[in-house]
Amino acid sequence: MYNPFFSSLMLMIESQRVIELRLVRLAWGGPEGVSEARSMVVEKVNAAAEALTTLMFGGSPEAVIARYREHVAANTERLRL
């Protein structure tokens, strides 16, 4: 059985790592910091639009959380390099 609390909790925990990695990149500054700041804004707007579209077309909140977790995992991989 699906537990929305568990998925939300996992998203929160996984997001903390991305926040940490992004703050380090921003703190270092330079072209990489500026690029990361821009990508953060673009990613947030795109993710919100994707979530809204999913919900508007009958998708579940669980699907939105699962998709956000995919985005977070991709960002973790990208930022760890």
Side-chain angles (χ1 to χ4, degrees), residues 23-56:
L23 286 175
V24 168
R25 187 154 297 182
L26 291 172
W28 279 103
E32 287 185 356
V34 172
S35 175
E36 190 59 35
R38 285 188 183 129
S39 71
M40 284 172 44
V41 174
V42 170
E43 286 175 7
K44 301 252 184 280
V45 171
N46 289 341
E50 183 180 345
L52 181 61
T53 303
T54 299
L55 294 172
M56 283 176 38

Side-chain angles (χ1 to χ4, degrees), residues 2 7 11 60-72:
Y2 177 75
S7 291
L11 176 61
S60 67
E62 294 84 18
V64 172
I65 291 171
R67 185 67 177 136
Y68 268 107
R69 288 185 70 196
E70 289 175 14
H71 288 296
V72 169

Side-chain angles (χ1 to χ4, degrees), residues 6-17 19 69 72:
F6 179 74
S7 291
S8 299
L9 180 65
M10 290 304 298
L11 176 61
M12 180 187 72
I13 292 168
E14 294 160 354
S15 296
Q16 290 300 312
R17 178 71 176 147
I19 292 168
R69 288 185 70 196
V72 169

